[in-house]
Structures are given as structure tokens and as C-alpha cells.
Amino acid sequence: MLLDKLNFYGFQGLIIDCFRSCLKNRAQTVQIGEHLSTKLISPCDVPKGSVLGPLLFLFYINDILLSSDKLKCYLFADDTNILYAVKTLKAIEQTVNVELNDRLTTNRLTLNTKNQIS
């Protein structure tokens, strides 16, 4: 799905081949001290902690702007604000849930609803 989105934004040819090579069938291991886990092959993955990871995420979610006629989305760096105004909190909750659920499902994403304070 990410490769399709990159293609949509104009990435083609050799650059798409490079991304495909980087993102598909990645081998992963974990080492703690001298102990090394067995190798796990991931069919598709963005390298964790990579410089490209946040940029690729932005390409992945950038079409959220097109996801709803009711919600107004503003993206800046790694922050997304969604605006929707009606008279009752219940109407906001219902509309935002319906509108976001479709977009998140389409992009195979989940929303973390747990309040985590670090």
C-alpha cells in the first residue's frame, strides 16, 4: 500500500525499486548481550528508528485530507488536527467515529485510544 501511495506521488522506476527492496522481506534479529534471537523475515516493514520512517509515515497518511467531506484535517510535520463542529458532543463522537473508522480501516491503521502520559 505504501509503494502504491509513493507511486501516486510520482516516485517511479529505480527509486520505487529501492523502496521495495528496503521495505519488503526484511530480516530482523534481536541481540541482548551475547544472545542473538533467530532471524524473522517480515513481509513488509518500515525500518524502526530510521531517518526515512517518519517521512514514509507522512506519505502513508497524507491522503487523510481526502477522506471525508465532513471533517477538516490539518497536517503539520508529525501532528494531525481534525476539526468538526456541531451542537452536541454525541453528534461529534458519532460522526468522527464513522468518518475515521473507514479511513483507518482502508489504511490498515488503528487508533490508540489509551491515555498515555510519559
Side-chain angles (χ1 to χ4, degrees), residues 69-82:
D69 293 331
K70 296 178 182 179
L71 307 179
K72 183 70 176 169
C73 297
Y74 295 92
L75 302 174
F76 180 76
D78 64 348
D79 190 24
T80 303
N81 289 296
I82 300 171

Side-chain angles (χ1 to χ4, degrees), residues 91-107:
I92 291 172
E93 181 181 17
Q94 289 173 338
T95 300
V96 171
N97 283 338
V98 168
E99 295 290 311
L100 282 182
N101 185 52
D102 180 51
R103 187 89 231 133
L104 293 172
T105 302
T106 299
N107 285 293

Side-chain angles (χ1 to χ4, degrees), residues 32-99:
I32 300 175
E34 295 182 18
H35 301 284
L36 186 65
S37 70
T38 56
K39 188 186 306 184
L40 174 70
I41 304 295
S42 177
C44 61
D45 188 20
V46 173
K48 307 304 180 270
S50 70
V51 174
L52 282 178
L55 181 62
L56 292 174
F57 177 73
L58 292 176
F59 277 115
Y60 195 77
I61 67 157
N62 194 53
D63 59 355
I64 194 170
L65 298 170
L66 308 173
S67 65
S68 172
D69 293 331
K70 296 178 182 179
L71 307 179
K72 183 70 176 169
C73 297
Y74 295 92
L75 302 174
F76 180 76
D78 64 348
D79 190 24
T80 303
N81 289 296
I82 300 171
L83 301 178
Y84 179 68
V86 290
K87 293 186 179 190
T88 68
L89 183 59
K90 189 67 174 173
I92 291 172
E93 181 181 17
Q94 289 173 338
T95 300
V96 171
N97 283 338
V98 168
E99 295 290 311

